[in-house]
């Protein structure tokens, strides 16, 4: 482990190390797995050249950014053409910032932009793509419908991924013709900065599909963890509880939003407080996840607070709408 960013692990399910040597990958082991079988599968991973990203919102444009910068020919589509335009504008601006901060070379920026293409339809984006990443809103029915459409267009060897934060990957996969090629690739916001990629392995996900996703994650410079297809996976299940409890504390007038956030940033060394993070994620996104986890896990800890429902109904979605627990128009000038 040394001074390197450490190996990822979700024990006892997995013992996965970031692959320092692409030629000799270290592989995740799940109970009952046959290591030689996995090694064989690692050799049979799909060589990804092109990526289609479906949905150009908060996550989709970030995934397209990471894919293009990692060297993949990338197509970005959305049911809203304006969302694609906005997404491409954000990618350009974020790459500029990356160059200004010395994190991206000017050459890499130019090359990434040359690899990035808007697509007018799902069919245009998916045709010929080796990897499809769906980043549409958190609705099981919507995602299943998208996977039905993708399955009809994608090539037989393409890997299909959903960026769902909480929904059952197996149920989404069942809408595709070959669920063994489907998995969850759960990126974090902002995708071009956050180092984690949570890979969600459905019941039917093949070793080769997982191996392909691991290699893509590595090429994007992400640290990968592999989790079972359980509600909320590892990240949302823990993160949502904290966010919802912070909202209940705000409702009960325990402290201001700023002070609740400071309790976690200064007292617990969280980089961002739970209310500010909810603003960055989107209150509508958080509400959809909380509703789903409340239903599936049955715990009151996941019941969405009235305050969250009211704010979403009023269009206070956080950073993307300019208003949430914070006024983002004064923080970063977003309207
Ligand atoms: N926001 C976060 O921080 C975050 C983090 C991790 C995962 N996620 C997950 O990522 C997914 C997307 O979330 P988001 O925050 O980017 O949402 P968003 O609302 O910002 O963007 C969703 C985009 O999908 C588009 N869309 C809707 N139907 C579509 C379709 N049929 N085909 C193509 N595009 C379609 C919408 O027009 C919109 O632009 C959700 O499943 C969410 O749970 C979100």
């Amino acid at each position: 482990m040394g001074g390197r960013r450490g190996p990822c692990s979700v024990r006892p399910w997995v013992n996965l190390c970031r692959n320092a040597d692409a030629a000799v990958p270290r592989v995740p082991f799940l109970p009952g797995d046959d290591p030689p079988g996995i090694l064989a599968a690692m050799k049979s991973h799909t060589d990804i050249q092109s990526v289609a990203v479906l949905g150009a919102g908060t996550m989709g444009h970030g995934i397209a950014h990471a894919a293009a910068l990692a060297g993949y020919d990338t197509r970005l589509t959305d049911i809203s053409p304006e969302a694609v335009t906005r997404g491409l504008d954000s990618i350009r601006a974020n790459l500029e910032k990356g160059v200004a901060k010395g994190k991206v070379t000017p050459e890499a920026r130019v090359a990434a932009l040359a690899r990035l293409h808007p697509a007018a339809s799902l069919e245009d984006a998916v045709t010929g793509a080796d990897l499809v990443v769906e980043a549409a809103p958190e609705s099981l029915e919507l995602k299943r419908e998208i996977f039905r459409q993708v399955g009809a267009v994608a090539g037989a060897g393409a890997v299909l991924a959903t960026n769902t934060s909480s929904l059952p990957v197996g149920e989404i996969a069942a809408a595709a013709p070959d669920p063994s090629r489907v998995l969850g690739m759960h990126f974090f916001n902002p995708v071009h900065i956050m180092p984690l990629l949570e890979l969600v392995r459905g019941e039917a996900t093949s070793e080769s599909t997982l191996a392909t996703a691991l290699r893509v994650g590595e090429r994007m410079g992400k640290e990968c963890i592999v989790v079972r297809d359980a509600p909320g996976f590892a990240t949302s299940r823990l993160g949502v509880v904290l966010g919802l409890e912070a909202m209940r504390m705000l409702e009960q007038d325990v402290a201001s939003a700023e002070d609740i956030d400071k309790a976690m940033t200064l007292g617990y060394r969280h980089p961002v407080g739970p209310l500010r993070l909810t603003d960055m994620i989107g209150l509508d996104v958080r509400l959809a996840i909380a509703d789903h986890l409340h239903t599936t896990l049955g715990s009151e800890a996941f019941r969405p607070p009235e305050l969250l429902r009211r704010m979403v109904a009023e269009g206070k979605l956080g950073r993307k709408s300019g208003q949430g627990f914070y006024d983002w128009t004064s923080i970063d000038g977003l309207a």
Side-chain angles (χ1 to χ4, degrees):
M1 295 182 208
R4 274 193 332 122
R5 213 157 39 198
C8 305
S9 63
V10 183
R11 292 184 176 87
W13 299 108
V14 70
N15 178 13
L16 165 68
C17 291
R18 189 165 181 213
N19 176 17
D21 174 359
V24 188
R26 299 181 70 182
V27 293
F29 298 117
L30 298 177
D33 273 344
D34 162 28
I38 298 176
L39 284 170
M42 292 296 282
K43 287 191 194 118
S44 69
H45 74 280
T46 306
D47 188 20
I48 301 295
Q49 306 285 339
S50 55
V51 177
V53 183
L54 313 180
T58 308
M59 297 306 291
H61 87 268
I63 296 166
H65 173 148
L69 198 58
Y72 299 115
D73 185 55
T74 304
R75 275 165 268 160
L76 179 63
T77 193
D78 197 290
I79 47 164
S80 151
E82 295 77 33
V84 176
T85 306
R86 265 198 314 275
L88 292 174
D89 286 347
S90 297
I91 295 172
R92 280 187 211 100
N94 288 332
L95 282 169
E96 278 293 347
K97 280 189 213 156
V99 171
K101 288 181 180 165
K103 305 213 178 230
V104 179
T105 66
E107 296 75 24
R109 173 187 154 274
V110 171
L113 289 174
R115 290 185 206 106
L116 193 60
H117 312 285
S121 66
L122 178 143
E123 192 173 0
D124 286 353
V126 168
T127 304
D130 302 316
L131 169 67
V132 179
V133 186
E134 166 276 313
E138 190 78 340
S139 150
L140 184 57
E141 263 329 295
L142 174 64
K143 288 184 192 286
R144 281 175 55 85
E145 177 52 33
I146 290 174
F147 272 70
R148 262 191 289 277
Q149 292 175 26
V150 169
V153 183
V159 167
L160 314 182
T162 172
N163 187 51
T164 180
S165 305
S166 62
L167 299 172
V169 169
E171 286 186 38
I172 296 169
D178 180 2
S180 76
R181 289 189 284 119
V182 179
L183 86 167
M185 288 181 79
H186 186 201
F187 291 87
F188 293 81
N189 176 25
V191 180
H192 64 289
I193 291 173
M194 297 297 277
L196 182 65
L197 173 57
E198 184 176 45
L199 298 178
V200 183
R201 183 180 184 160
E203 283 264 307
T205 305
S206 72
E207 299 299 348
S208 161
T209 297
L210 183 62
T212 301
L214 279 164
R215 288 190 187 247
V216 171
E218 276 170 10
R219 207 159 136 189
M220 288 180 172
K222 303 296 181 199
E223 297 271 346
C224 296
I225 60 171
V226 180
V227 301
R228 193 164 62 78
D229 188 12
F233 320 130
T235 50
S236 301
R237 188 158 166 182
L238 288 172
V240 166
V241 166
L242 191 69
L244 297 180
E245 201 54 35
M247 291 172 217
R248 280 188 268 274
M249 287 163 63
L250 194 62
E251 269 178 340
Q252 293 161 16
D253 205 20
V254 172
S256 66
E258 288 82 357
D259 283 356
I260 291 169
D261 277 349
K262 270 188 198 165
M264 291 294 103
T265 54
L266 302 184
Y268 279 54
R269 300 186 69 173
H270 288 200
V272 186
L275 295 171
R276 195 178 172 95
L277 182 62
T278 301
D279 269 3
M280 292 166 72
I281 288 170
L283 274 68
D284 52 337
V285 175
R286 268 271 154 107
L287 177 58
I289 299 169
D291 270 332
H292 171 69
L293 293 181
H294 184 229
T295 307
T296 50
L297 293 170
S299 160
E300 283 304 292
F302 293 101
R303 182 188 289 281
E306 265 319 300
L307 176 63
L308 177 60
R309 288 201 190 284
R310 198 168 61 241
M311 288 177 73
V312 170
E314 288 168 357
K316 293 177 182 166
L317 306 182
R319 186 178 194 169
K320 64 185 165 188
S321 71
Q323 189 66 50
F325 297 106
Y326 293 85
D327 177 5
W328 289 87
T329 55
S330 60
I331 294 174
D332 59 12
L334 288 179

